[in-house]
Amino acid sequence: MDRQGPRHHVESNRAHWDLTAADWIEPGRRNWADDQPRWGVYGIPESEVGLLAAFGGGDVVELGCGTAYVSAWLARRGGRPVGIDNSAAQLATAAGFQREFDLRFPLVHGDAERLPFVDESFDFAISEYGAAIWCDPYRWLPEAARVLRPGGRLVFLGNSVLQMLCVFDDDEAPAGDRLLRPQFGMHRFEWPDDPGIEFHISHGERIRLLRACGFEVEDLVELRPPADSEENRFPFIDLDWAQQWPAEEAWIVRRAG
Ligand SMILES: C[S@@+](CC[C@H](N)C(=O)[O-])C[C@H]1O[C@@H](n2cnc3c(N)ncnc32)[C@H](O)[C@@H]1O
């Protein structure tokens, strides 16, 4: 746990997400309206990915819930979700969808690196591009382990390590087939034209950290979009690339108990 850096990213990321929240209303509405979970930038159906295969209901926390459609999916599958997010504007969108779709659960304005929950209060924790990439793994993974009950699962999905080595700094063109930065030492990502600060670590480092937090790794799912997928709306990766190499990865881990 010796890689923790400064925490100013929490404030920078809050400002970034408050400012851009309006861009996520329509994608959020589409996901709220869809009963079938679809994951990642290509919306790959749960039936092809299996991230919820071990989900059996119970107390759920979504870490960096944004518009909270993942929590809505889990509520419809028998879970009792709580969504936590660092951005009041994102939570306002989520609260609007709760009214629109008549589905309520608690929404908490807070930081996934310092969870305002007591130890062992959840059976399942999940993050799709929330804490998974916007929080320092050396801070949020120990917190996720703390609030999970023994035997509870954490599922988190974000950009793959390989993608993070190949994307351009400026988002102008999709990733190519060259490694643009070192893997050794990768952790905190700051971009020239984007105030958002992300975190990505190598697989070996991730496994050591997960084990130090008391997690057993059950699966590392490398997502491959079907060939007939529509292009995604993000400029940094295209379908041809994502068909050849994993652009996204999901970890399924279980708190030992
Ligand atoms: C891309 S959204 C994730 C929600 C949704 N699954 C999605 O893909 O749109 C990222 C969310 O992470 C939240 N976030 C960033 N840093 C956070 C932190 N320290 N604690 C909790 N949430 C955080 C942001 O406010 C934002 O709403």
Coordinates of all heavy atoms in Angstrom, one line a residue, residues 172-224:
E172 N -6.9 12.7 -30.2 CA -7.3 13.2 -31.5 C -7.5 12.0 -32.5 O -8.3 12.1 -33.4 CB -6.2 14.1 -32.1 CG -6.2 15.5 -31.5 CD -7.5 16.2 -31.7 OE1 -7.9 16.3 -32.9 OE2 -8.1 16.6 -30.7
A173 N -6.8 10.9 -32.3 CA -6.9 9.8 -33.1 C -7.1 8.5 -32.3 O -6.7 8.5 -31.1 CB -5.6 9.6 -34.0
P174 N -7.7 7.5 -32.8 CA -7.8 6.3 -32.0 C -6.5 5.6 -31.8 O -5.5 5.8 -32.6 CB -8.7 5.4 -32.9 CG -8.9 6.0 -34.2 CD -8.4 7.4 -34.1
A175 N -6.4 4.8 -30.8 CA -5.1 4.1 -30.5 C -4.6 3.3 -31.7 O -5.4 2.8 -32.4 CB -5.4 3.2 -29.3
G176 N -3.3 3.2 -31.8 CA -2.7 2.4 -32.9 C -2.1 1.2 -32.3 O -2.3 0.8 -31.1
D177 N -1.2 0.6 -33.1 CA -0.6 -0.7 -32.6 C 0.8 -0.5 -32.1 O 1.7 -1.3 -32.2 CB -0.6 -1.7 -33.7 CG 0.2 -1.2 -35.0 OD1 0.8 -0.1 -34.9 OD2 0.2 -2.0 -35.9
R178 N 1.1 0.7 -31.4 CA 2.4 1.0 -30.8 C 2.2 1.3 -29.4 O 1.2 2.0 -29.0 CB 3.0 2.2 -31.5 CG 3.6 1.9 -32.8 CD 4.1 3.1 -33.4 NE 4.8 2.8 -34.7 CZ 6.0 3.2 -35.0 NH1 6.7 4.0 -34.2 NH2 6.5 2.8 -36.1
L179 N 3.2 0.8 -28.6 CA 3.2 1.2 -27.2 C 3.8 2.6 -27.0 O 4.9 2.8 -27.5 CB 4.1 0.2 -26.4 CG 3.7 -1.3 -26.5 CD1 4.7 -2.2 -25.9 CD2 2.3 -1.5 -25.9
L180 N 3.0 3.5 -26.4 CA 3.4 4.9 -26.4 C 4.0 5.3 -25.0 O 4.5 6.4 -24.9 CB 2.2 5.8 -26.7 CG 1.6 5.6 -28.1 CD1 0.4 6.6 -28.3 CD2 2.6 5.8 -29.2
R181 N 3.9 4.5 -24.1 CA 4.5 4.8 -22.7 C 4.9 3.5 -22.0 O 4.4 2.5 -22.3 CB 3.5 5.7 -21.9 CG 2.1 5.1 -21.8 CD 1.1 6.0 -21.2 NE 0.8 7.2 -22.0 CZ -0.1 7.2 -23.1 NH1 -0.7 6.1 -23.3 NH2 -0.2 8.2 -23.8
P182 N 5.7 3.7 -21.0 CA 6.1 2.5 -20.2 C 5.0 1.9 -19.4 O 4.2 2.6 -18.9 CB 7.3 3.0 -19.3 CG 7.5 4.4 -19.6 CD 6.3 4.9 -20.5
Q183 N 5.1 0.6 -19.2 CA 4.1 0.0 -18.3 C 4.7 0.0 -16.9 O 3.9 0.3 -15.9 CB 3.9 -1.5 -18.7 CG 3.1 -2.3 -17.6 CD 2.7 -3.7 -18.0 OE1 2.2 -3.9 -19.1 NE2 3.0 -4.6 -17.2
F184 N 6.0 -0.1 -16.7 CA 6.6 -0.1 -15.4 C 6.3 1.3 -14.8 O 6.7 2.3 -15.5 CB 8.1 -0.4 -15.4 CG 8.3 -1.9 -15.7 CD1 9.1 -2.3 -16.8 CD2 7.8 -2.9 -14.9 CE1 9.3 -3.6 -17.0 CE2 8.0 -4.2 -15.1 CZ 8.8 -4.6 -16.2
G185 N 5.8 1.4 -13.6 CA 5.5 2.7 -13.0 C 4.2 3.3 -13.3 O 3.8 4.3 -12.7
M186 N 3.4 2.7 -14.2 CA 2.1 3.3 -14.5 C 1.2 3.4 -13.3 O 1.1 2.4 -12.6 CB 1.4 2.7 -15.7 CG 0.9 1.3 -15.5 SD 0.3 0.5 -17.0 CE -1.4 1.1 -17.1
H187 N 0.5 4.5 -13.1 CA -0.3 4.6 -12.0 C -1.3 5.8 -12.2 O -2.5 5.6 -12.5 CB 0.5 4.9 -10.7 CG -0.2 5.1 -9.5 ND1 0.1 6.1 -8.5 CD2 -1.4 4.5 -9.0 CE1 -0.7 6.0 -7.5 NE2 -1.6 5.1 -7.8
R188 N -0.8 7.0 -12.2 CA -1.6 8.2 -12.3 C -1.5 8.8 -13.7 O -0.4 9.0 -14.2 CB -1.1 9.2 -11.2 CG -1.8 10.5 -11.1 CD -1.0 11.3 -10.1 NE -1.7 12.5 -9.8 CZ -2.5 12.6 -8.7 NH1 -2.7 11.7 -7.9 NH2 -3.2 13.8 -8.5
F189 N -2.7 9.0 -14.3 CA -2.7 9.5 -15.7 C -3.3 10.9 -15.7 O -4.4 11.1 -15.3 CB -3.5 8.6 -16.6 CG -2.7 7.4 -17.0 CD1 -2.5 6.4 -16.1 CD2 -2.3 7.2 -18.3 CE1 -1.8 5.2 -16.4 CE2 -1.7 6.0 -18.7 CZ -1.4 5.0 -17.7
E190 N -2.5 11.9 -16.1 CA -3.0 13.3 -16.4 C -2.8 13.6 -17.8 O -1.7 13.2 -18.4 CB -2.2 14.3 -15.4 CG -2.4 13.9 -14.0 CD -2.0 15.0 -13.0 OE1 -2.3 16.2 -13.3 OE2 -1.4 14.7 -12.0
W191 N -3.7 14.3 -18.4 CA -3.7 14.5 -19.9 C -3.5 16.0 -20.2 O -4.0 16.8 -19.4 CB -5.0 14.0 -20.5 CG -5.4 12.6 -20.0 CD1 -6.3 12.3 -19.1 CD2 -4.8 11.4 -20.6 NE1 -6.3 10.9 -19.0 CE2 -5.4 10.4 -19.9 CE3 -3.9 11.1 -21.6 CZ2 -5.1 9.0 -20.1 CZ3 -3.6 9.8 -21.8 CH2 -4.2 8.8 -21.1
P192 N -2.9 16.3 -21.3 CA -2.6 17.7 -21.6 C -3.9 18.6 -21.7 O -3.9 19.7 -21.2 CB -1.8 17.7 -22.9 CG -1.9 16.3 -23.4 CD -2.3 15.4 -22.3
D193 N -4.9 18.1 -22.3 CA -6.1 18.9 -22.6 C -7.3 18.5 -21.8 O -8.5 18.8 -22.2 CB -6.5 18.9 -24.1 CG -5.3 19.2 -25.0 OD1 -4.6 20.2 -24.6 OD2 -5.1 18.6 -26.0
D194 N -7.2 17.8 -20.8 CA -8.3 17.2 -20.0 C -8.0 17.3 -18.5 O -7.0 16.7 -18.1 CB -8.5 15.8 -20.5 CG -9.8 15.1 -20.0 OD1 -10.2 15.6 -18.9 OD2 -10.3 14.2 -20.6
P195 N -8.8 17.9 -17.8 CA -8.5 18.1 -16.3 C -8.8 16.8 -15.5 O -8.4 16.7 -14.4 CB -9.5 19.2 -15.9 CG -10.6 19.2 -16.9 CD -10.0 18.7 -18.2
G196 N -9.5 15.8 -16.1 CA -9.8 14.5 -15.4 C -8.5 13.8 -15.1 O -7.6 13.7 -16.0
I197 N -8.4 13.2 -13.9 CA -7.2 12.5 -13.5 C -7.6 11.0 -13.3 O -8.5 10.8 -12.5 CB -6.5 13.1 -12.3 CG1 -6.1 14.5 -12.5 CG2 -5.4 12.2 -11.8 CD1 -5.7 15.3 -11.3
E198 N -6.9 10.1 -14.0 CA -7.3 8.7 -13.9 C -6.2 7.9 -13.3 O -5.0 8.3 -13.3 CB -7.6 8.1 -15.3 CG -8.7 8.8 -16.1 CD -8.6 8.4 -17.6 OE1 -8.3 7.2 -17.8 OE2 -8.9 9.2 -18.4
F199 N -6.5 6.6 -13.0 CA -5.5 5.7 -12.4 C -5.6 4.4 -13.1 O -6.7 3.8 -13.2 CB -5.8 5.5 -10.9 CG -5.6 6.8 -10.1 CD1 -6.6 7.8 -10.0 CD2 -4.3 7.1 -9.6 CE1 -6.4 8.9 -9.3 CE2 -4.1 8.3 -8.9 CZ -5.2 9.2 -8.8
H200 N -4.5 3.9 -13.5 CA -4.4 2.5 -14.1 C -3.1 1.9 -13.7 O -2.0 2.6 -13.8 CB -4.4 2.7 -15.7 CG -5.6 3.4 -16.2 ND1 -6.8 2.8 -16.4 CD2 -5.8 4.8 -16.4 CE1 -7.7 3.8 -16.8 NE2 -7.1 4.9 -16.9
I201 N -3.1 0.7 -13.2 CA -1.9 0.0 -12.8 C -1.8 -1.3 -13.6 O -2.8 -1.8 -14.1 CB -1.8 -0.2 -11.3 CG1 -3.0 -1.0 -10.7 CG2 -1.7 1.1 -10.6 CD1 -3.0 -1.3 -9.2
S202 N -0.6 -1.9 -13.6 CA -0.4 -3.1 -14.3 C -1.1 -4.3 -13.6 O -1.4 -4.2 -12.5 CB 1.1 -3.4 -14.4 OG 1.6 -3.8 -13.1
H203 N -1.2 -5.4 -14.4 CA -1.9 -6.6 -13.8 C -1.1 -7.1 -12.6 O -1.8 -7.5 -11.6 CB -2.0 -7.6 -14.9 CG -3.0 -7.2 -16.0 ND1 -3.1 -7.8 -17.2 CD2 -4.0 -6.3 -16.0 CE1 -4.0 -7.3 -17.9 NE2 -4.6 -6.3 -17.2
G204 N 0.2 -7.2 -12.7 CA 0.9 -7.8 -11.6 C 0.7 -7.0 -10.3 O 0.5 -7.5 -9.2
E205 N 0.8 -5.6 -10.5 CA 0.7 -4.7 -9.4 C -0.8 -4.8 -8.8 O -1.0 -4.8 -7.6 CB 1.0 -3.3 -9.8 CG 1.6 -2.5 -8.7 CD 2.0 -1.1 -9.2 OE1 2.6 -1.0 -10.3 OE2 1.6 -0.1 -8.5
R206 N -1.7 -4.9 -9.7 CA -3.2 -5.0 -9.3 C -3.4 -6.3 -8.5 O -4.0 -6.3 -7.4 CB -4.0 -5.1 -10.6 CG -5.5 -5.2 -10.3 CD -6.2 -3.9 -9.9 NE -6.3 -3.0 -11.1 CZ -6.7 -1.8 -11.0 NH1 -7.2 -1.3 -9.9 NH2 -6.8 -1.0 -12.1
I207 N -2.8 -7.4 -8.9 CA -3.0 -8.7 -8.2 C -2.4 -8.6 -6.8 O -3.0 -9.0 -5.8 CB -2.5 -9.9 -9.0 CG1 -3.4 -10.1 -10.3 CG2 -2.4 -11.1 -8.2 CD1 -2.8 -11.1 -11.3
R208 N -1.2 -8.0 -6.8 CA -0.6 -7.9 -5.4 C -1.4 -7.0 -4.5 O -1.6 -7.3 -3.3 CB 0.9 -7.4 -5.6 CG 1.9 -8.5 -6.0 CD 3.3 -8.0 -5.9 NE 3.5 -6.9 -6.9 CZ 3.8 -7.2 -8.2 NH1 3.9 -8.4 -8.6 NH2 4.0 -6.2 -9.1
L209 N -1.9 -5.9 -5.0 CA -2.7 -5.0 -4.2 C -4.0 -5.7 -3.8 O -4.4 -5.6 -2.6 CB -3.0 -3.7 -5.0 CG -4.0 -2.7 -4.4 CD1 -3.5 -2.3 -3.0 CD2 -4.2 -1.5 -5.3
L210 N -4.7 -6.4 -4.7 CA -5.9 -7.1 -4.4 C -5.7 -8.1 -3.2 O -6.4 -8.1 -2.3 CB -6.5 -7.7 -5.6 CG -7.2 -6.8 -6.6 CD1 -7.4 -7.5 -7.9 CD2 -8.5 -6.2 -6.1
R211 N -4.6 -8.8 -3.4 CA -4.3 -9.8 -2.3 C -4.0 -9.2 -1.0 O -4.4 -9.7 0.0 CB -3.2 -10.8 -2.8 CG -3.7 -11.7 -4.0 CD -2.5 -12.5 -4.5 NE -1.8 -13.2 -3.5 CZ -2.2 -14.5 -3.1 NH1 -3.2 -15.0 -3.7 NH2 -1.5 -15.1 -2.2
A212 N -3.3 -8.1 -1.1 CA -3.0 -7.4 0.2 C -4.2 -6.8 0.9 O -4.3 -6.7 2.1 CB -2.0 -6.2 -0.1
C213 N -5.2 -6.6 0.1 CA -6.5 -6.1 0.6 C -7.4 -7.2 1.1 O -8.5 -7.0 1.7 CB -7.3 -5.3 -0.4 SG -6.5 -3.8 -1.0
G214 N -7.0 -8.4 0.9 CA -7.8 -9.6 1.3 C -8.7 -10.1 0.3 O -9.7 -10.8 0.6
F215 N -8.5 -9.8 -1.0 CA -9.3 -10.3 -2.1 C -8.7 -11.5 -2.7 O -7.4 -11.6 -2.8 CB -9.5 -9.3 -3.2 CG -10.4 -8.1 -2.8 CD1 -10.0 -6.8 -2.7 CD2 -11.8 -8.4 -2.6 CE1 -10.8 -5.8 -2.4 CE2 -12.7 -7.3 -2.3 CZ -12.2 -6.0 -2.2
E216 N -9.5 -12.5 -3.2 CA -9.1 -13.5 -4.0 C -9.6 -13.2 -5.4 O -10.7 -12.8 -5.6 CB -9.8 -14.9 -3.6 CG -9.4 -15.3 -2.3 CD -10.4 -16.4 -1.7 OE1 -11.4 -16.7 -2.4 OE2 -10.1 -16.9 -0.6
V217 N -8.7 -13.3 -6.4 CA -9.1 -13.0 -7.8 C -9.8 -14.2 -8.4 O -9.3 -15.3 -8.4 CB -7.8 -12.7 -8.7 CG1 -8.2 -12.4 -10.1 CG2 -7.1 -11.5 -8.1
E218 N -11.1 -14.0 -8.8 CA -11.8 -15.0 -9.4 C -11.7 -15.0 -11.0 O -11.8 -16.1 -11.6 CB -13.3 -15.0 -9.0 CG -13.5 -15.3 -7.5 CD -14.9 -15.5 -7.2 OE1 -15.8 -14.8 -7.7 OE2 -15.2 -16.3 -6.3
D219 N -11.7 -13.8 -11.5 CA -11.6 -13.7 -13.0 C -11.1 -12.4 -13.4 O -11.3 -11.4 -12.7 CB -13.0 -14.0 -13.6 CG -13.0 -14.6 -15.0 OD1 -11.9 -14.6 -15.6 OD2 -14.0 -15.0 -15.5
L220 N -10.5 -12.4 -14.6 CA -10.1 -11.2 -15.3 C -10.7 -11.3 -16.7 O -10.2 -12.1 -17.5 CB -8.6 -11.0 -15.3 CG -8.1 -9.9 -16.3 CD1 -8.7 -8.5 -15.9 CD2 -6.6 -9.8 -16.2
V221 N -11.8 -10.6 -16.9 CA -12.5 -10.7 -18.2 C -12.0 -9.7 -19.1 O -12.1 -8.5 -18.9 CB -14.0 -10.6 -18.0 CG1 -14.8 -10.8 -19.3 CG2 -14.5 -11.5 -16.9
E222 N -11.5 -10.1 -20.3 CA -11.0 -9.2 -21.3 C -12.2 -9.0 -22.3 O -12.5 -10.0 -23.0 CB -9.7 -9.7 -21.9 CG -8.6 -9.7 -20.9 CD -7.5 -10.6 -21.3 OE1 -7.8 -11.8 -21.8 OE2 -6.3 -10.3 -21.1
L223 N -12.7 -7.8 -22.4 CA -13.9 -7.7 -23.2 C -13.6 -7.5 -24.7 O -12.7 -6.7 -25.1 CB -14.7 -6.4 -22.7 CG -15.6 -6.7 -21.5 CD1 -14.8 -6.7 -20.2 CD2 -16.7 -5.6 -21.4
R224 N -14.4 -8.3 -25.5 CA -14.2 -8.2 -27.0 C -15.6 -7.9 -27.5 O -16.5 -8.7 -27.5 CB -13.7 -9.5 -27.5 CG -13.4 -9.4 -29.0 CD -12.9 -10.7 -29.6 NE -12.3 -10.5 -30.8 CZ -12.0 -11.4 -31.7 NH1 -12.3 -12.7 -31.4 NH2 -11.5 -11.2 -32.9

